[in-house]
Amino acid sequence: MIQINDEILNKYLDGELSREEAEQVKSALRNSEELQRKFNALEFINDKLYDIKEEEVSPDFTNDLMKRILKNRFVVPKQQKYFIVSIASFITLLCLVIFGFSISAMISSSPSSIGESSSVVNSITYMSDGIVKLVEKVFSGQGLSIVGSIFSIIIIISGYFFFEMQKRAKANLGNGQQL
Amino acid sequence: MRNLSDQEIIDSVRKGNDSDYSIIVDRYKNKAFSMLKRMLKNEFDAEEVLQDCFLKAFKSLSSFKGESKFSTWFYRIVYNTALTKLSSKKRMTETQMSSVEDHFNLESEYGSDEIEKEDVNQLIHDTISKLPERYSAIITMFYLNEMTIEEISEAMQLSVSNVKVMLHRSRNSMRDLILKSKLVEELR
């Protein structure tokens, strides 16, 4: 004989008891007015809970949300933005250093009389010749291998950071799944 | 389009039809909002958190493998986001600190006059909101969202027996409130 308590009444209500146990509960309910009253109240609550109404969100909810989703779709993630900016800044800085170095090299190797004896056209021609010579020097023989090495290092470092960023983004998505 | 299953809609969104996600939103927004409002006890917070939940789900859609129903997966996000919100507002009274054995007494929430005055539907509506967060979440998921005990246990990361105990405890406390009130006459 099972002891009829609240737990058993709940299980009886949910149809979780065996046939034998259910018969015992039925019989106990017939014999006890108090138990019957308790069960009726439980059944009543159960029925009423099935009738609870859902709450409604504001009418613009879906539109606002979809706008937010579409907006977020085209936004570059902050981390990615920092990465792009830092790489671009590094390349710009490198170009400026090379350019500055070229100018200073040309000025130091030019004759001191350039301002006095030649015309402006001559000095520009002289400077452009210098640039061409410098570029030729840089991109030939040993110079070319140095420039190539620098760019390779930049590409390898960029690739590493990019790979790390992708890994982190994937991990974040994984966390979302685990929620 | 409206009659498509969740999985079909998700497949469509994954193919790039972002606007189809609005069908999922319309399908779940009110049910999830009802759960959040009862857990957070605040309409404004509930709507804000709901937006975050849909955004999170959208961003994580690619990692949804379909091993469980979308609804179970989504309510898991809703439940956890609500807990995070409660935690951030330092209103975590029982959710993290106590086990399923925690105690609550709805009768102490009501004066006897108050019980007599209200009609039963309103009383039930109010009592769900007065239940601790986890209990109100279970009641909403079970009765309103029509989830099974197993789905609720998956969404809340609780054992099936714990979910049952909490469901029974919520029903018992509401029953005791009804038995104490004059509303019990409606039962006859």
Side-chain angles (χ1 to χ4, degrees), chain A residues 6-7 9-11 13-14 16 37-38 40-42 44-46 48-50 52-58 61-62 64-66 68-70 72-73 173 176-179, chain B residues 18 21 25-26 29-31 33-34 37-38 47 50-52 54-56 58-60 63-64 73 76 80 120-121 124-125 128 143-144 164 168 171-172 175 178-179 187:
Chain A
D6 285 346
E7 196 59 29
L9 285 181
N10 271 283
K11 282 186 176 172
L13 182 71
D14 292 335
E16 287 179 1
R37 193 169 158 265
K38 268 187 163 183
N40 284 350
L42 200 62
F44 176 77
I45 285 291
N46 190 49
K48 287 286 174 188
L49 282 169
Y50 276 114
I52 53 172
K53 301 270 182 296
E54 51 183 45
E55 309 271 346
E56 289 197 3
V57 292
S58 58
F61 181 84
T62 309
D64 292 346
L65 177 72
M66 292 312 289
R68 228 176 123 186
I69 284 173
L70 293 174
N72 279 5
R73 198 112 171 121
L173 277 180
Q177 168 75 355
Q178 277 166 8
L179 278 172
Chain B
D18 290 353
Y21 190 63
V25 174
D26 284 336
K29 62 182 181 186
N30 289 338
K31 285 189 166 81
F33 178 64
S34 306
K37 198 177 158 189
R38 284 172 184 129
E47 201 161 312
L50 186 59
Q51 284 232 1
D52 291 343
F54 277 119
L55 266 174
K56 257 187 210 177
F58 181 81
K59 283 179 187 167
S60 309
S63 57
F64 172 64
W73 180 77
R76 193 170 170 183
N80 283 332
V120 74
N121 288 323
I124 285 171
H125 187 272
I128 300 170
Y143 288 102
L144 187 66
K164 276 185 191 173
H168 294 171
R171 280 199 302 226
N172 289 342
R175 176 203 61 191
I178 291 289
L179 284 173
L187 301 173

Coordinates of all heavy atoms in Angstrom, one line a residue, chain A residues 6-7 9-11 13-14 16 37-38 40-42 44-46 48-50 52-58 61-62 64-66 68-70 72-73 173 176-179, chain B residues 18 21 25-26 29-31 33-34 37-38 47 50-52 54-56 58-60 63-64 73 76 80 120-121 124-125 128 143-144 164 168 171-172 175 178-179 187:
Chain A
D6 N 1.5 14.5 -1.3 CA 1.4 15.5 -2.4 C 2.1 15.0 -3.7 O 1.7 15.2 -4.8 CB 2.0 16.8 -2.0 CG 1.1 17.6 -1.1 OD1 -0.1 17.2 -1.0 OD2 1.5 18.5 -0.4
E7 N 3.3 14.3 -3.5 CA 4.1 13.9 -4.6 C 3.3 12.8 -5.4 O 3.2 12.9 -6.6 CB 5.4 13.2 -4.0 CG 6.5 13.0 -5.0 CD 6.9 14.3 -5.7 OE1 6.8 15.4 -5.2 OE2 7.4 14.2 -6.9
L9 N 0.0 12.4 -5.4 CA -1.1 13.1 -6.1 C -0.7 13.7 -7.4 O -1.4 13.7 -8.4 CB -1.8 14.1 -5.1 CG -2.6 13.6 -4.0 CD1 -3.2 14.7 -3.2 CD2 -3.7 12.7 -4.4
N10 N 0.4 14.4 -7.4 CA 1.0 15.0 -8.6 C 1.3 14.0 -9.7 O 0.9 14.2 -10.8 CB 2.2 15.8 -8.3 CG 1.9 17.3 -7.8 OD1 1.6 18.1 -8.7 ND2 1.9 17.5 -6.5
K11 N 1.8 12.9 -9.2 CA 2.2 11.9 -10.2 C 0.9 11.2 -10.8 O 0.8 10.9 -12.0 CB 3.0 10.8 -9.6 CG 4.5 11.2 -9.4 CD 5.3 10.1 -8.9 CE 6.8 10.5 -8.9 NZ 7.7 9.6 -8.2
L13 N -1.9 12.8 -11.1 CA -2.5 13.8 -12.0 C -1.8 13.7 -13.4 O -2.4 13.9 -14.4 CB -2.3 15.2 -11.4 CG -2.8 16.4 -12.1 CD1 -4.3 16.4 -12.1 CD2 -2.3 17.7 -11.5
D14 N -0.5 13.5 -13.3 CA 0.3 13.5 -14.6 C 0.3 12.1 -15.3 O 0.9 11.9 -16.3 CB 1.8 13.9 -14.3 CG 1.9 15.3 -13.9 OD1 1.0 16.1 -14.3 OD2 2.9 15.7 -13.2
E16 N 1.6 9.3 -14.1 CA 2.9 8.7 -14.0 C 3.0 7.5 -13.1 O 4.0 6.9 -12.9 CB 3.9 9.7 -13.5 CG 4.3 10.8 -14.5 CD 5.3 11.8 -14.0 OE1 5.7 11.7 -12.8 OE2 5.6 12.7 -14.7
R37 N -10.6 16.6 -1.7 CA -10.6 18.1 -1.8 C -9.2 18.6 -2.3 O -9.1 19.5 -3.2 CB -10.9 18.6 -0.5 CG -11.2 20.1 -0.4 CD -11.8 20.5 0.9 NE -11.7 21.9 1.1 CZ -10.6 22.5 1.8 NH1 -9.7 21.7 2.3 NH2 -10.6 23.8 1.9
K38 N -8.2 18.0 -1.8 CA -6.8 18.4 -2.2 C -6.6 18.1 -3.7 O -6.0 18.9 -4.4 CB -5.8 17.6 -1.3 CG -5.3 18.3 -0.1 CD -4.2 17.5 0.5 CE -3.4 18.3 1.5 NZ -2.3 17.6 2.1
N40 N -8.8 17.6 -6.0 CA -9.7 18.5 -6.9 C -9.0 19.9 -7.1 O -9.0 20.4 -8.2 CB -11.1 18.7 -6.3 CG -11.9 17.5 -6.4 OD1 -11.6 16.6 -7.2 ND2 -13.1 17.4 -5.7
A41 N -8.5 20.4 -6.0 CA -7.8 21.7 -6.1 C -6.6 21.7 -7.0 O -6.3 22.6 -7.8 CB -7.4 22.2 -4.7
L42 N -5.9 20.6 -6.9 CA -4.7 20.4 -7.7 C -5.1 20.3 -9.2 O -4.4 20.9 -10.1 CB -3.9 19.1 -7.3 CG -2.5 18.9 -7.7 CD1 -1.6 20.0 -7.0 CD2 -2.0 17.6 -7.2
F44 N -7.8 21.4 -10.5 CA -8.3 22.7 -10.9 C -7.1 23.7 -11.3 O -7.2 24.3 -12.3 CB -9.1 23.3 -9.7 CG -9.6 24.7 -9.9 CD1 -10.7 24.9 -10.7 CD2 -9.0 25.8 -9.3 CE1 -11.2 26.2 -10.8 CE2 -9.5 27.1 -9.4 CZ -10.6 27.3 -10.2
I45 N -6.1 23.7 -10.5 CA -4.9 24.5 -10.7 C -4.3 24.1 -12.0 O -3.9 25.0 -12.9 CB -3.9 24.4 -9.6 CG1 -4.4 25.2 -8.3 CG2 -2.5 24.9 -10.0 CD1 -4.4 26.7 -8.5
N46 N -4.2 22.8 -12.2 CA -3.5 22.3 -13.4 C -4.3 22.8 -14.7 O -3.7 23.2 -15.7 CB -3.5 20.8 -13.3 CG -2.7 20.1 -14.4 OD1 -1.6 20.5 -14.7 ND2 -3.3 19.2 -15.1
K48 N -6.3 25.3 -14.9 CA -6.2 26.8 -15.0 C -4.9 27.2 -15.6 O -4.8 28.2 -16.4 CB -6.4 27.5 -13.7 CG -7.9 27.5 -13.2 CD -8.7 28.5 -14.0 CE -10.2 28.4 -13.6 NZ -11.0 29.2 -14.5
L49 N -3.8 26.5 -15.2 CA -2.5 26.8 -15.8 C -2.4 26.6 -17.3 O -1.7 27.3 -18.0 CB -1.4 26.0 -15.0 CG -1.0 26.5 -13.6 CD1 -0.2 25.4 -12.9 CD2 -0.3 27.8 -13.7
Y50 N -3.1 25.6 -17.8 CA -3.2 25.4 -19.2 C -3.8 26.6 -19.9 O -3.7 26.8 -21.1 CB -3.9 24.1 -19.6 CG -2.9 22.9 -19.5 CD1 -3.2 21.9 -18.6 CD2 -1.8 22.8 -20.4 CE1 -2.3 20.8 -18.5 CE2 -1.0 21.7 -20.3 CZ -1.2 20.7 -19.3 OH -0.4 19.6 -19.3
I52 N -3.4 29.8 -19.1 CA -2.7 31.1 -19.0 C -2.4 31.7 -20.4 O -2.0 31.0 -21.3 CB -1.4 31.1 -18.1 CG1 -0.4 30.0 -18.6 CG2 -1.7 30.9 -16.7 CD1 0.9 30.0 -17.9
K53 N -2.6 33.0 -20.5 CA -2.4 33.6 -21.8 C -0.9 34.1 -21.9 O -0.3 34.5 -20.9 CB -3.3 34.9 -21.8 CG -4.8 34.5 -21.7 CD -5.4 34.2 -23.0 CE -6.9 33.9 -22.9 NZ -7.3 32.7 -22.2
E54 N -0.5 34.2 -23.2 CA 0.9 34.7 -23.3 C 0.9 36.2 -23.4 O -0.1 36.8 -23.8 CB 1.5 34.1 -24.6 CG 0.7 34.2 -25.9 CD 1.3 33.5 -27.1 OE1 1.9 32.4 -26.9 OE2 1.3 34.2 -28.2
E55 N 1.9 36.8 -22.9 CA 2.1 38.2 -22.9 C 2.5 38.7 -24.3 O 3.2 37.9 -25.0 CB 3.2 38.6 -21.9 CG 3.0 38.0 -20.5 CD 2.2 38.9 -19.6 OE1 2.0 40.0 -19.9 OE2 1.8 38.4 -18.5
E56 N 2.1 39.9 -24.6 CA 2.5 40.4 -26.0 C 3.6 41.4 -25.9 O 3.5 42.3 -25.1 CB 1.3 40.9 -26.7 CG 0.3 39.8 -27.1 CD -0.7 40.2 -28.1 OE1 -0.6 41.3 -28.6 OE2 -1.5 39.3 -28.4
V57 N 4.6 41.3 -26.8 CA 5.6 42.3 -26.9 C 5.1 43.5 -27.7 O 4.0 43.5 -28.2 CB 6.9 41.8 -27.7 CG1 7.6 40.7 -26.9 CG2 6.5 41.2 -29.0
S58 N 5.9 44.6 -27.7 CA 5.4 45.8 -28.4 C 5.3 45.5 -29.9 O 6.0 44.7 -30.4 CB 6.4 46.9 -28.1 OG 7.6 46.6 -28.6
F61 N 8.3 45.2 -32.3 CA 9.4 44.4 -31.8 C 10.2 43.7 -33.0 O 11.4 43.8 -33.1 CB 8.9 43.4 -30.8 CG 10.0 42.5 -30.3 CD1 10.8 42.8 -29.2 CD2 10.3 41.2 -30.9 CE1 11.8 42.0 -28.7 CE2 11.3 40.4 -30.4 CZ 12.0 40.8 -29.4
T62 N 9.4 43.0 -33.8 CA 10.0 42.3 -34.9 C 10.8 43.2 -35.9 O 11.9 42.9 -36.2 CB 9.0 41.4 -35.7 OG1 8.3 40.7 -34.7 CG2 9.6 40.5 -36.7
D64 N 12.0 46.2 -35.3 CA 13.2 46.8 -34.7 C 14.3 45.8 -34.6 O 15.5 46.1 -34.9 CB 12.9 47.3 -33.2 CG 12.0 48.5 -33.2 OD1 11.8 49.1 -34.3 OD2 11.4 48.8 -32.2
L65 N 14.0 44.5 -34.3 CA 15.0 43.5 -34.1 C 15.6 43.2 -35.5 O 16.8 43.1 -35.6 CB 14.3 42.2 -33.6 CG 15.2 41.0 -33.5 CD1 16.2 41.2 -32.3 CD2 14.4 39.7 -33.2
M66 N 14.8 43.1 -36.5 CA 15.3 42.8 -37.9 C 16.3 43.9 -38.4 O 17.3 43.6 -39.0 CB 14.2 42.5 -38.9 CG 13.4 41.2 -38.6 SD 14.4 39.7 -38.3 CE 15.1 39.4 -39.9
R68 N 18.1 45.7 -36.4 CA 19.3 45.6 -35.6 C 20.1 44.4 -36.2 O 21.4 44.5 -36.3 CB 18.9 45.2 -34.2 CG 19.6 46.0 -33.2 CD 19.1 45.7 -31.8 NE 20.2 45.3 -30.9 CZ 20.1 44.8 -29.7 NH1 18.9 44.7 -29.2 NH2 21.1 44.4 -29.0
I69 N 19.5 43.4 -36.6 CA 20.2 42.2 -37.2 C 20.9 42.6 -38.5 O 22.1 42.3 -38.7 CB 19.2 41.0 -37.4 CG1 18.9 40.4 -36.0 CG2 19.8 40.0 -38.3 CD1 17.9 39.3 -36.0
L70 N 20.1 43.2 -39.4 CA 20.7 43.6 -40.7 C 21.9 44.6 -40.5 O 22.8 44.6 -41.2 CB 19.6 44.2 -41.6 CG 18.6 43.1 -42.0 CD1 17.5 43.7 -42.8 CD2 19.2 42.0 -42.8
N72 N 23.8 44.9 -37.8 CA 25.0 44.2 -37.3 C 25.7 43.3 -38.3 O 26.9 43.1 -38.3 CB 24.5 43.2 -36.2 CG 24.4 44.0 -34.9 OD1 24.5 45.2 -34.8 ND2 24.1 43.3 -33.8
R73 N 25.0 42.9 -39.4 CA 25.5 42.0 -40.4 C 26.6 42.8 -41.2 O 27.6 42.1 -41.6 CB 24.4 41.7 -41.4 CG 24.6 40.5 -42.2 CD 23.7 39.4 -41.8 NE 23.8 38.3 -42.8 CZ 24.2 37.1 -42.4 NH1 24.5 36.8 -41.2 NH2 24.2 36.1 -43.3
L173 N 31.4 31.6 -31.1 CA 30.2 31.0 -31.7 C 30.0 29.7 -30.9 O 28.8 29.4 -30.6 CB 30.4 30.7 -33.1 CG 30.2 31.8 -34.1 CD1 30.4 31.3 -35.5 CD2 28.7 32.3 -34.0
G176 N 28.2 30.4 -27.8 CA 26.8 30.7 -28.0 C 26.0 29.4 -28.1 O 24.9 29.3 -27.6
Q177 N 26.6 28.4 -28.7 CA 25.9 27.1 -28.9 C 25.7 26.4 -27.5 O 24.7 25.8 -27.2 CB 26.8 26.2 -29.8 CG 26.4 24.7 -29.8 CD 25.1 24.5 -30.6 OE1 24.5 25.4 -31.1 NE2 24.7 23.3 -30.7
Q178 N 26.8 26.6 -26.6 CA 26.7 26.0 -25.3 C 25.7 26.6 -24.4 O 25.4 26.1 -23.4 CB 28.1 26.0 -24.7 CG 29.0 24.9 -25.2 CD 30.4 25.1 -24.8 OE1 30.7 26.0 -24.1 NE2 31.3 24.3 -25.4
L179 N 25.2 27.8 -24.8 CA 24.3 28.5 -23.9 C 23.2 27.7 -23.4 O 22.3 27.3 -23.7 CB 23.8 29.8 -24.5 CG 24.8 30.9 -24.4 CD1 24.2 32.1 -25.3 CD2 24.9 31.4 -23.0
Chain B
D18 N 18.1 36.3 -44.7 CA 18.0 36.8 -43.4 C 16.6 37.2 -42.9 O 16.2 37.0 -41.8 CB 18.9 38.1 -43.2 CG 20.4 37.7 -43.3 OD1 20.7 36.5 -43.3 OD2 21.2 38.6 -43.3
Y21 N 14.2 35.1 -40.9 CA 14.3 34.9 -39.5 C 13.2 35.6 -38.7 O 12.9 35.2 -37.6 CB 15.7 35.5 -39.1 CG 16.1 35.3 -37.6 CD1 16.3 34.0 -37.2 CD2 16.2 36.3 -36.7 CE1 16.7 33.7 -35.9 CE2 16.6 36.0 -35.4 CZ 16.8 34.7 -35.0 OH 17.2 34.5 -33.7
V25 N 11.1 34.8 -35.3 CA 10.9 35.8 -34.2 C 9.4 35.9 -33.9 O 9.0 35.8 -32.7 CB 11.4 37.1 -34.7 CG1 11.1 38.2 -33.7 CG2 12.9 37.1 -34.9
D26 N 8.6 35.9 -34.9 CA 7.1 36.0 -34.7 C 6.6 34.8 -34.0 O 5.6 34.9 -33.2 CB 6.4 36.3 -36.0 CG 6.5 37.7 -36.5 OD1 6.8 38.6 -35.6 OD2 6.4 38.0 -37.7
K29 N 8.3 35.0 -30.1 CA 8.5 36.2 -29.3 C 7.6 36.3 -28.1 O 8.1 36.7 -27.0 CB 8.4 37.5 -30.2 CG 7.1 37.7 -30.8 CD 7.1 39.0 -31.7 CE 5.7 39.2 -32.3 NZ 5.6 40.3 -33.3
N30 N 6.3 36.1 -28.3 CA 5.4 36.2 -27.1 C 5.6 35.2 -26.0 O 5.5 35.5 -24.9 CB 3.9 36.2 -27.6 CG 3.6 37.5 -28.4 OD1 4.3 38.5 -28.3 ND2 2.6 37.4 -29.3
K31 N 5.8 34.0 -26.5 CA 6.0 32.9 -25.5 C 7.3 33.2 -24.7 O 7.3 33.0 -23.4 CB 6.1 31.5 -26.2 CG 4.8 31.0 -26.6 CD 4.8 29.6 -27.1 CE 3.4 29.0 -27.2 NZ 2.8 29.3 -28.4
F33 N 8.8 36.0 -24.3 CA 8.5 37.3 -23.5 C 7.8 37.0 -22.2 O 8.1 37.5 -21.2 CB 7.8 38.3 -24.4 CG 7.5 39.6 -23.7 CD1 8.5 40.4 -23.3 CD2 6.1 39.9 -23.5 CE1 8.2 41.6 -22.7 CE2 5.9 41.1 -22.9 CZ 6.9 42.0 -22.5
S34 N 6.8 36.1 -22.3 CA 6.0 35.7 -21.1 C 6.9 35.1 -20.1 O 6.8 35.4 -18.9 CB 4.9 34.7 -21.5 OG 4.1 35.1 -22.6
K37 N 9.3 37.9 -18.7 CA 8.6 38.9 -17.9 C 8.4 38.3 -16.5 O 8.5 39.0 -15.5 CB 7.3 39.2 -18.5 CG 6.7 40.5 -18.0 CD 5.4 40.9 -18.7 CE 4.6 41.9 -17.8 NZ 3.3 42.1 -18.3
R38 N 8.1 37.0 -16.5 CA 7.8 36.3 -15.1 C 9.1 36.1 -14.4 O 9.2 36.2 -13.2 CB 7.1 35.0 -15.3 CG 5.6 35.3 -15.6 CD 4.8 34.1 -16.0 NE 3.5 34.5 -16.3 CZ 2.8 34.2 -17.5 NH1 3.4 33.4 -18.4 NH2 1.6 34.6 -17.7
E47 N 11.8 42.8 -22.5 CA 11.8 43.0 -23.9 C 13.3 43.3 -24.4 O 13.7 42.8 -25.5 CB 11.0 44.2 -24.3 CG 10.6 44.2 -25.8 CD 9.3 45.1 -26.1 OE1 8.3 44.9 -25.4 OE2 9.4 45.8 -27.0
L50 N 15.0 39.9 -24.5 CA 14.5 39.1 -25.6 C 15.2 39.5 -26.9 O 15.5 38.6 -27.7 CB 12.9 39.3 -25.7 CG 12.2 38.4 -26.7 CD1 12.5 36.9 -26.4 CD2 10.8 38.7 -26.7
Q51 N 15.4 40.8 -27.1 CA 16.1 41.2 -28.3 C 17.5 40.6 -28.3 O 17.9 40.1 -29.4 CB 16.2 42.8 -28.3 CG 14.9 43.5 -28.7 CD 15.1 44.5 -29.8 OE1 16.2 44.6 -30.3 NE2 14.0 45.1 -30.2
D52 N 18.2 40.7 -27.2 CA 19.5 40.1 -27.1 C 19.5 38.6 -27.4 O 20.4 38.1 -28.1 CB 20.1 40.3 -25.7 CG 20.4 41.8 -25.5 OD1 20.5 42.5 -26.5 OD2 20.6 42.2 -24.3
F54 N 17.3 36.9 -29.3 CA 17.1 36.6 -30.7 C 18.4 36.9 -31.5 O 18.7 36.2 -32.4 CB 16.0 37.4 -31.3 CG 14.6 36.8 -31.0 CD1 13.7 37.4 -30.3 CD2 14.3 35.5 -31.6 CE1 12.4 36.8 -30.0 CE2 13.1 34.9 -31.4 CZ 12.1 35.5 -30.6
L55 N 19.1 38.0 -31.1 CA 20.4 38.3 -31.7 C 21.4 37.2 -31.5 O 22.1 36.8 -32.5 CB 20.9 39.6 -31.2 CG 20.6 40.9 -31.9 CD1 21.0 42.1 -31.2 CD2 21.2 40.9 -33.3
K56 N 21.5 36.8 -30.3 CA 22.5 35.7 -30.0 C 22.2 34.5 -30.8 O 23.0 33.8 -31.3 CB 22.3 35.3 -28.5 CG 23.4 35.9 -27.6 CD 23.2 35.3 -26.2 CE 23.7 36.3 -25.2 NZ 23.6 35.8 -23.8
F58 N 20.6 34.3 -33.6 CA 20.8 34.5 -35.0 C 22.3 34.3 -35.3 O 22.7 33.7 -36.3 CB 20.4 35.9 -35.4 CG 20.6 36.3 -36.8 CD1 19.7 35.8 -37.8 CD2 21.7 37.0 -37.2 CE1 19.9 36.1 -39.1 CE2 22.0 37.3 -38.5 CZ 21.1 36.9 -39.5
K59 N 23.2 34.9 -34.4 CA 24.6 34.8 -34.6 C 25.1 33.4 -34.4 O 26.1 33.0 -35.0 CB 25.3 35.7 -33.6 CG 25.3 37.2 -34.0 CD 26.0 38.0 -32.9 CE 25.8 39.5 -33.2 NZ 26.2 40.3 -32.0
S60 N 24.5 32.6 -33.6 CA 24.9 31.2 -33.3 C 24.2 30.2 -34.2 O 24.4 29.0 -34.0 CB 24.7 30.9 -31.9 OG 25.2 31.9 -31.0
S63 N 26.0 27.3 -35.8 CA 26.5 26.3 -34.9 C 25.4 25.4 -34.3 O 25.6 24.5 -33.6 CB 27.3 26.8 -33.8 OG 26.6 27.7 -33.0
F64 N 24.1 25.7 -34.7 CA 23.0 24.9 -34.3 C 22.9 23.7 -35.1 O 22.7 23.7 -36.3 CB 21.7 25.7 -34.4 CG 20.4 24.9 -34.2 CD1 20.2 24.3 -32.9 CD2 19.5 24.7 -35.2 CE1 19.0 23.6 -32.7 CE2 18.4 23.9 -35.0 CZ 18.1 23.4 -33.7
W73 N 16.6 24.6 -27.8 CA 17.9 25.4 -27.9 C 17.7 26.9 -27.7 O 18.4 27.5 -26.9 CB 18.4 25.1 -29.4 CG 19.7 25.8 -29.7 CD1 21.0 25.4 -29.3 CD2 19.9 27.0 -30.5 NE1 21.9 26.2 -29.8 CE2 21.3 27.2 -30.5 CE3 19.1 27.8 -31.2 CZ2 21.9 28.3 -31.3 CZ3 19.6 28.9 -31.9 CH2 21.0 29.1 -31.9
R76 N 16.9 27.7 -24.1 CA 18.1 27.6 -23.3 C 18.8 28.9 -23.3 O 19.3 29.4 -22.3 CB 19.0 26.5 -23.8 CG 20.1 26.0 -23.0 CD 20.7 24.8 -23.5 NE 21.9 24.5 -22.9 CZ 22.7 23.5 -23.2 NH1 22.4 22.7 -24.2 NH2 23.8 23.2 -22.5
N80 N 19.3 31.2 -19.9 CA 20.6 31.6 -19.5 C 20.8 33.1 -19.5 O 21.5 33.7 -18.7 CB 21.7 30.9 -20.3 CG 21.8 29.5 -19.9 OD1 21.6 29.1 -18.7 ND2 22.2 28.6 -20.8
V120 N -9.9 33.9 -9.8 CA -8.9 32.9 -9.9 C -7.8 33.0 -11.0 O -6.7 32.7 -10.8 CB -9.6 31.5 -9.9 CG1 -10.2 31.2 -11.2 CG2 -8.6 30.4 -9.4
N121 N -8.3 33.4 -12.1 CA -7.3 33.6 -13.3 C -6.3 34.6 -12.9 O -5.1 34.4 -13.2 CB -8.1 34.0 -14.5 CG -8.9 32.8 -15.1 OD1 -8.4 31.7 -15.0 ND2 -10.0 33.1 -15.6
I124 N -3.9 33.3 -10.3 CA -2.9 32.3 -10.9 C -1.8 33.1 -11.6 O -0.6 32.9 -11.5 CB -3.6 31.3 -11.8 CG1 -4.2 30.3 -10.8 CG2 -2.6 30.6 -12.7 CD1 -5.1 29.3 -11.5
H125 N -2.3 34.1 -12.4 CA -1.3 34.9 -13.2 C -0.3 35.6 -12.3 O 0.9 35.6 -12.5 CB -2.2 35.9 -14.0 CG -1.4 36.8 -14.9 ND1 -0.8 37.9 -14.5 CD2 -1.1 36.6 -16.2 CE1 -0.1 38.5 -15.5 NE2 -0.3 37.7 -16.6
I128 N 2.2 33.1 -10.4 CA 3.4 32.6 -11.2 C 4.5 33.7 -11.2 O 5.7 33.3 -11.0 CB 3.0 32.4 -12.7 CG1 1.9 31.3 -12.8 CG2 4.2 31.9 -13.6 CD1 1.2 31.2 -14.2
Y143 N 3.5 24.8 -19.3 CA 2.0 25.0 -19.6 C 1.8 25.9 -20.8 O 1.0 25.7 -21.6 CB 1.3 25.6 -18.4 CG 1.1 24.6 -17.3 CD1 1.9 24.6 -16.1 CD2 0.1 23.7 -17.4 CE1 1.7 23.7 -15.1 CE2 -0.1 22.8 -16.3 CZ 0.7 22.8 -15.2 OH 0.5 21.8 -14.3
L144 N 2.6 27.0 -20.9 CA 2.4 27.9 -22.0 C 3.2 27.5 -23.3 O 2.6 27.5 -24.4 CB 2.9 29.3 -21.6 CG 2.6 30.4 -22.6 CD1 1.1 30.6 -22.7 CD2 3.2 31.7 -22.2
K164 N 10.7 17.9 -12.2 CA 9.5 17.4 -11.7 C 9.2 17.9 -10.3 O 8.1 18.3 -10.0 CB 9.5 15.9 -11.8 CG 9.1 15.3 -13.1 CD 9.0 13.8 -13.0 CE 9.0 13.1 -14.4 NZ 9.1 11.7 -14.3
H168 N 6.0 20.2 -9.4 CA 5.0 19.7 -8.3 C 4.9 20.8 -7.2 O 3.9 21.1 -6.7 CB 5.4 18.4 -7.8 CG 5.4 17.3 -8.8 ND1 5.8 16.0 -8.6 CD2 4.8 17.2 -10.0 CE1 5.6 15.3 -9.6 NE2 5.0 16.0 -10.5
R171 N 2.9 23.8 -8.2 CA 1.5 23.5 -8.3 C 0.9 23.3 -6.8 O -0.2 23.8 -6.6 CB 1.3 22.1 -9.0 CG 1.3 22.3 -10.5 CD 0.6 21.1 -11.2 NE 1.2 19.8 -11.0 CZ 1.5 18.9 -12.0 NH1 1.2 19.3 -13.2 NH2 1.9 17.7 -11.7
N172 N 1.7 22.7 -6.0 CA 1.2 22.5 -4.6 C 1.0 23.8 -3.9 O 0.0 24.0 -3.2 CB 2.2 21.6 -3.8 CG 2.2 20.2 -4.3 OD1 1.2 19.7 -4.9 ND2 3.2 19.4 -3.9
R175 N -2.0 25.4 -5.2 CA -3.2 24.7 -4.7 C -3.5 25.1 -3.2 O -4.7 25.4 -2.9 CB -2.9 23.2 -4.7 CG -4.0 22.4 -4.1 CD -3.5 21.0 -3.7 NE -2.5 21.1 -2.7 CZ -1.8 20.1 -2.2 NH1 -1.9 18.9 -2.8 NH2 -0.9 20.3 -1.3
I178 N -5.2 28.3 -3.1 CA -6.6 28.2 -3.6 C -7.5 27.6 -2.4 O -8.6 28.1 -2.1 CB -6.7 27.3 -4.8 CG1 -6.1 28.0 -6.0 CG2 -8.1 26.9 -5.1 CD1 -6.9 29.2 -6.6
L179 N -6.9 26.6 -1.8 CA -7.6 25.9 -0.7 C -7.9 26.9 0.5 O -8.9 26.8 1.1 CB -6.9 24.7 -0.2 CG -6.9 23.5 -1.1 CD1 -6.0 22.4 -0.6 CD2 -8.3 22.9 -1.2
L187 N -14.6 25.1 -6.9 CA -14.3 23.7 -7.2 C -15.5 22.8 -7.0 O -15.6 21.7 -7.5 CB -13.2 23.2 -6.3 CG -11.9 23.9 -6.3 CD1 -11.0 23.4 -5.2 CD2 -11.2 23.7 -7.7

